[in-house]
Amino acid sequence: MAHNQDGNQKQVHYVGDSRVRVNSKEMLPPDYSQFPGKTEQFFPDFLLKEWMVAAVFLVGFMTLVMAENPPLGDIADPTNTGFLPVPDWYFLFLYQLLKYKWAAGPFTVVGIIVVPGLLFGGLMLAPFLDTSKERRPIKRPVTTGIAILSLLGVIGLTWAAEAEHVIQVQSSSGTPAKDKKIVAEHDKGYELYKKNACIKCHGDKLQGVQGPPLLGVGDRIKGEDEKLTRKDIEKVIDEGRGAMPAGMFQGSEADKQVLLDWLMKQKQK
């Protein structure tokens, strides 16, 4: 009730907002019991299933671990020149990439920064570069094509690195190459070749492992019509060449001449 200036009483009416429904109910999420057979409680039903799957996977994984011995190598030996280091499998594609001329040497920055930067940078920027609402891969040919090409590239480089490493291991362990033949295998020059660790880089059959092949060394380095002379080969032994450092031969001058004699006997192309 309210009073006016004359002292008379007047009734005051309060009008509510017409936009608010009087009979509106509180919005509550539906209970899982309203959908029998289609839902379940998180605890313990759903969580118990997850634990059971995890337990089965763990038991299977541990069984495989205990059934197969880990492929451990020899004890670390800094004097072992025959050890062939190789990165883990998920880095093999980058390892192989750095072997190509356009990504190695003076272009190493291409192999270690530019190419990986484009790959991983593209993954990070993919949500911003491709804003299409279409979810089917066939409707997104550019993005799908780039992803497929990248995947094939990584798989191909990984396979090439692993295949080359297997060949190197076989060569360094003395496994003979099928199509390689050397002359005077029982010559003293071959003994000097092995004692000076040449065999670790150039192979037991001169087929090349970490270093270039030495069969047909004259043809290989200077071309088919021009062979290396004995003086050229001696210069390589003394001063090194490419990745081969100088002073690798550990022997007398007479021993070096015996080794040169043996190398000059080898079959040319």
Side-chain angles (χ1 to χ4, degrees):
M1 303 295 291
H3 299 272
N4 58 13
Q5 295 180 353
D6 300 332
N8 298 326
Q9 295 182 351
K10 290 186 177 181
Q11 187 175 5
V12 178
H13 298 276
Y14 294 93
V15 181
D17 193 338
S18 60
R19 293 173 297 178
V20 180
R21 296 181 181 179
V22 178
N23 297 326
S24 61
K25 297 181 180 179
E26 184 179 359
M27 299 298 295
L28 297 175
D31 189 78
Y32 73 92
S33 60
Q34 300 179 15
F35 306 93
K38 296 183 179 180
T39 183
E40 61 185 357
Q41 297 185 75
F42 176 76
F43 182 84
D45 299 340
F46 177 79
L47 197 57
L48 181 60
K49 291 181 180 180
E50 294 293 310
W51 286 346
M52 291 176 63
V53 172
V56 171
F57 174 80
L58 181 61
V59 170
F61 180 77
M62 295 304 298
T63 301
L64 293 176
V65 169
M66 292 184 290
E68 185 70 22
N69 292 327
L72 299 178
D74 299 331
I75 299 176
D77 182 7
T79 63
N80 180 16
T81 58
F83 176 69
L84 300 176
V86 64
D88 291 322
W89 65 269
Y90 41 82
F91 285 132
L92 281 178
F93 74 99
L94 288 176
Y95 174 70
Q96 183 67 18
L97 183 66
L98 294 175
K99 296 180 181 180
Y100 299 115
K101 292 182 179 180
W102 52 270
F107 306 104
T108 305
V109 66
V110 176
I112 63 176
I113 296 179
V114 176
V115 175
L118 291 175
L119 290 175
F120 294 105
L123 289 176
M124 295 176 61
L125 297 177
F128 306 98
L129 298 177
D130 185 7
T131 57
S132 173
K133 296 181 180 180
E134 184 61 54
R135 300 185 65 179
R136 289 175 293 180
I138 194 173
K139 295 294 185 178
R140 304 166 68 178
V142 176
T143 306
T144 303
I146 294 176
I148 292 176
L149 289 176
S150 301
L151 181 62
L152 292 178
V154 171
I155 293 175
L157 290 173
T158 302
W159 176 84
E162 179 63 21
E164 184 174 343
H165 179 67
V166 170
I167 295 175
Q168 291 176 347
V169 171
Q170 291 176 348
S171 300
S172 63
S173 61
T175 303
K178 295 181 180 179
D179 57 345
K180 302 295 182 181
K181 295 181 180 179
I182 61 175
V183 179
E185 189 171 354
H186 301 288
D187 191 271
K188 183 180 178 182
Y190 187 54
E191 296 299 323
L192 292 170
Y193 173 79
K194 292 189 293 184
K195 288 181 180 179
N196 281 274
C198 305
I199 192 173
K200 301 299 183 181
C201 291
H202 300 289
D204 60 328
K205 299 296 182 183
L206 305 182
Q207 73 274 24
V209 183
Q210 292 178 322
L214 295 181
L215 277 176
V217 61
D219 297 335
R220 177 181 57 77
I221 295 181
K222 285 196 172 181
E224 295 181 358
D225 299 329
E226 185 180 4
K227 297 180 174 67
L228 280 181
T229 64
R230 181 190 182 96
K231 186 176 181 180
D232 292 331
I233 299 176
E234 184 175 7
K235 183 178 180 181
V236 172
I237 294 176
D238 293 338
E239 300 179 5
R241 186 187 185 95
M244 175 181 173
M248 287 294 293
F249 183 79
Q250 302 295 323
S252 64
E253 184 65 26
D255 290 338
K256 183 171 64 176
Q257 297 304 319
V258 172
L259 176 61
L260 287 170
D261 291 337
W262 180 76
L263 288 174
M264 297 301 295
K265 294 178 183 178
Q266 301 311 309
K267 180 180 178 182
Q268 302 294 319
K269 291 183 180 179

